[in-house]
């Protein structure tokens, strides 16, 4: 069992739909990152969370430390949101990140 | 430049050859991480530096892999006697702080293909 698991692995949506991507982890963490990997391969950091909720534009990230679970939501999805979304956790000790395998999101017009 | 840069962007080599992959961090960023990403997988930690000091190399798969950052800026990941299983995207990421909870800025990666 991976330390970081994402679901679903693949997600196809119609433009305008509300999207939720989930991340569960099994270790104690001090921070959780959501990353976006573009079709061209570049990786961009979207959020870093240690508690609560963060919002940036149409993106919302939440984390429940007790349940060891985080969600990334996209409101009013658009084809340009099509990408791989990756969850990564920083364990309590050390500075390394452990990554999930990513969720491939495709938003159709 | 304003972002993290890596060179070369693509490297094709024959099995048994040594390769050196370079990462240029954002100016002033003190921590530098190396990751490997296989196709369809998330990145996998290899090693990281705070300034010039290698803090954790537990992710390096074997002793053919090494990394250095002698002046606390540019870093080189070296793979000796390459094998086909080393083929992957190698990425570096840098942060301005050393806490491990800072935003990581990723380079474009080096796609390594070992024939």
């Amino acid at each position: 069992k991976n330390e970081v698991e994402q679901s679903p692995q693949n997600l196809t949506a119609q433009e305008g739909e509300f999207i939720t991507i989930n991340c569960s982890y099994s270790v104690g963490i001090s921070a959780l990152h959501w990353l976006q990997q573009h079709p061209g391969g570049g990786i961009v950091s979207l959020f870093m969370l240690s508690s609560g909720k963060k919002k940036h534009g149409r993106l919302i990230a939440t984390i429940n430390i007790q349940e060891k679970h985080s969600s990334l939501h996209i409101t009013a999805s658009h084809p340009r949101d099509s990408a791989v979304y990756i969850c990564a956790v920083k364990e309590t000790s050390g500075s390394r990140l452990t990554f999930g395998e990513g969720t491939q999101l495709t938003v159709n017009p | 430049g304003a972002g993290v840069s890596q060179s070369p962007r693509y490297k094709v080599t024959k099995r048994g050859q040594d390769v050196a992959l370079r990462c240029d961090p954002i100016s002033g960023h003190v921590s530098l991480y190396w990751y490997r990403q296989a196709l369809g997988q998330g990145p996998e930690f290899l090693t990281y530096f705070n300034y010039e000091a290698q803090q954790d190399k537990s992710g390096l798969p074997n002793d053919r892999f090494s990394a250095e950052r002698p002046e606390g800026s540019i870093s080189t990941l070296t793979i000796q006697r390459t094998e086909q299983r080393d083929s992957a995207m190698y990425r570096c990421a840098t942060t301005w702080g050393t806490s491990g909870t800072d935003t990581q800025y990723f380079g474009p990666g080096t796609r390594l293909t070992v024939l």
Side-chain angles (χ1 to χ4, degrees):
Chain A
K1 188 177 183 345
N2 293 334
E3 291 178 341
V4 181
E5 296 212 339
Q6 290 185 232
S7 63
Q9 287 188 319
N10 293 282
L11 179 57
T12 300
Q14 289 300 121
E15 184 172 357
E17 287 185 1
F18 181 82
I19 304 291
T20 296
I21 299 170
N22 296 298
C23 175
S24 297
Y25 51 92
S26 58
V27 295
I29 70 167
S30 56
L32 182 143
H33 298 252
W34 280 103
L35 308 167
Q36 180 191 54
Q37 184 163 13
H38 299 293
I43 294 179
V44 174
S45 179
L46 298 175
F47 294 104
M48 189 193 61
L49 296 163
S50 54
S51 65
K53 175 180 173 178
K54 286 190 176 180
K55 183 176 189 295
H56 184 219
R58 295 180 296 105
L59 302 178
I60 303 166
T62 64
I63 188 168
N64 185 318
I65 296 292
Q66 287 73 31
E67 294 187 3
K68 295 188 175 180
H69 181 269
S70 176
S71 293
L72 177 68
H73 305 286
I74 305 174
T75 61
S77 60
H78 190 276
R80 65 175 175 265
D81 297 326
S82 298
V84 176
Y85 292 84
I86 302 172
C87 168
V89 301
K90 179 196 168 302
E91 295 184 32
T92 307
S93 61
S95 290
R96 63 188 292 173
L97 291 183
T98 302
F99 294 79
E101 295 200 350
T103 295
Q104 172 69 63
L105 171 65
T106 303
V107 181
N108 294 318
Chain B
V4 179
S5 61
Q6 292 186 245
S7 60
R9 294 290 309 276
Y10 302 90
K11 178 70 177 178
V12 180
T13 190
K14 292 183 179 179
R15 188 179 54 182
Q17 298 293 306
D18 298 349
V19 295
L21 311 180
R22 173 179 164 134
C23 174
D24 277 87
I26 293 172
S27 178
H29 277 203
V30 299
S31 291
L32 185 149
Y33 299 76
W34 281 102
Y35 300 103
R36 178 169 69 176
Q37 186 174 19
L39 204 59
Q41 305 279 320
E44 172 193 23
F45 170 84
L46 295 177
T47 185
Y48 89 96
F49 294 82
N50 284 343
Y51 301 95
E52 73 282 359
Q54 192 170 20
Q55 299 293 325
D56 183 348
K57 57 180 181 179
S58 63
L60 296 176
N62 52 60
D63 61 7
R64 295 186 296 105
F65 287 72
S66 62
E68 63 174 11
R69 193 185 185 201
E71 297 179 1
S73 180
I74 294 167
S75 178
T76 303
L77 177 70
T78 302
I79 309 173
Q80 296 179 310
R81 305 181 302 283
T82 52
E83 300 178 5
Q84 287 184 326
R85 60 179 171 158
D86 300 333
S87 297
M89 176 72 85
Y90 290 84
R91 298 187 184 273
C92 72
T94 69
T95 70
W96 68 268
T98 60
S99 68
T101 58
D102 305 298
T103 297
Q104 297 206 359
Y105 294 83
F106 285 79
T110 295
R111 169 73 65 188
L112 175 65
T113 303
V114 182
L115 301 177

